[in-house]
Amino acid sequence: MEIGARIAAAQLAGSARSKRQVIAGPLAGMLDDDDAWYLSGVLAAEPGQPFEPDEIPWAIETIRQAFAAEGRWVHAEFVDEANPGLAEALASQGMTIVGRLPLLVVEPADLIVPDLPDGTTVTVVASAEEQAVANAVAAEAYEMDNADSAYKADPSDGGAVLIHVDGVPAATAAWTAVADAVSEVAGVGTIHSHRRRGLGAIATAYATLNAFELGGATLAWLTPGDDGADRVYRRLGYAPRATAVHLGDPGGHLADLR
């Protein structure tokens, strides 16, 4: 399977473990029981397969109605190479393409793990209490009221790492549920007082390492938020192999996807 389609299929399968699905033609609405806007979204229902353009109007209307019924905002994330033209077809139905980002991937043999500076330690989140600490770090890093990630006892269902500096929890990163030996590394964040020390790179590398060693992944992927993050991730061995495209419905919080 082409790598873009493999990643999109794994993303769909991993999301389906914990979310309710609304399948409408080529679209899969993934509804989380938590009402945080970013936990629910739309993926391609058939990665790697062509879609029928005539299905798009009723498909997106079906998704909109299902999301509205639960107070969710419709936003979508696709791997462009897995379903060429799907983003543009949705744009023709009123959705907005927010951006296209390089999709970076790494395999175990190519991962570069930075040395730890003095006073810096890395731990894998191993309890709900430690997850609460990681959530607090993420909330401060992203300037959110809270982060709602739940602790997962089985690393194949996802997990997180915490970076401490002289005993202070300073950075975190997570990996998602592993499907088809693929996992996304996400939620990389460093508290404001400890930025520009390379902690984001350390958190990313160790989250990736644990996705491989504990979760059983053989391929990890991520999308950088900006050019600076892109350079950091490439120094860890990540390389561009596909393109992620993000869309949102007008009137929603489009800026949150930038």
Side-chain angles (χ1 to χ4, degrees):
M1 182 183 290
E2 186 268 337
I3 195 167
R6 180 186 173 193
I7 290 171
Q11 186 182 23
L12 179 65
S15 183
R17 288 189 190 181
S18 59
K19 298 176 183 179
R20 291 170 284 117
Q21 301 180 67
V22 178
I23 304 299
L27 305 180
M30 312 303 290
L31 287 163
D32 196 282
D33 289 338
D34 190 309
D35 63 1
W37 74 266
Y38 53 85
L39 294 177
S40 297
V42 180
L43 302 174
E46 298 180 316
Q49 300 299 316
F51 66 94
E52 293 293 336
D54 290 347
E55 292 187 326
I56 295 298
W58 74 261
I60 187 57
E61 183 59 26
T62 299
I63 296 293
R64 282 171 170 148
Q65 290 179 10
F67 273 52
E70 299 197 23
R72 307 291 198 269
W73 173 57
V74 177
H75 60 100
E77 180 179 334
F78 304 130
V79 179
D80 222 6
E81 292 78 0
N83 295 96
L86 184 54
E88 289 76 12
L90 288 174
S92 73
Q93 299 301 312
M95 293 194 74
T96 298
I97 297 177
V98 179
R100 298 179 187 272
L101 302 172
L103 195 154
L104 309 182
V105 307
V106 68
E107 296 176 286
D110 298 321
L111 178 65
I112 300 168
V113 180
D115 293 332
L116 296 181
D118 291 343
T120 301
T121 60
V122 181
T123 58
V124 176
V125 169
S127 68
E129 290 76 18
E130 290 179 4
Q131 184 66 58
V133 176
N135 288 348
V137 170
E140 178 175 341
Y142 286 97
E143 299 180 349
M144 303 187 302
D145 291 336
N146 56 66
D148 299 320
S149 297
Y151 168 63
K152 302 175 183 65
D154 184 345
S156 68
D157 289 332
V161 295
L162 260 174
I163 313 302
H164 288 79
V165 178
D166 296 325
V168 176
T172 188
W175 69 93
T176 63
V178 180
D180 190 25
V182 177
S183 179
E184 179 185 6
V185 172
V188 181
T190 303
I191 62 174
H192 290 264
S193 61
H194 286 67
R195 291 184 175 175
R196 300 188 181 279
R197 301 189 191 185
L199 300 181
I202 291 170
T204 301
Y206 276 90
T208 306
L209 181 64
N210 283 287
F212 293 150
E213 294 187 345
L214 299 181
T218 60
L219 182 73
W221 66 278
L222 49 69
T223 51
D226 54 42
D227 290 343
D230 186 283
R231 290 190 293 270
V232 168
Y233 299 147
R234 294 189 193 215
R235 288 197 292 268
L236 300 177
Y238 278 89
R241 296 291 297 276
T243 307
V245 56
H246 293 170
L247 301 94
D249 251 354
H253 305 291
L254 296 181
D256 291 338
L257 282 180
R258 295 186 186 279

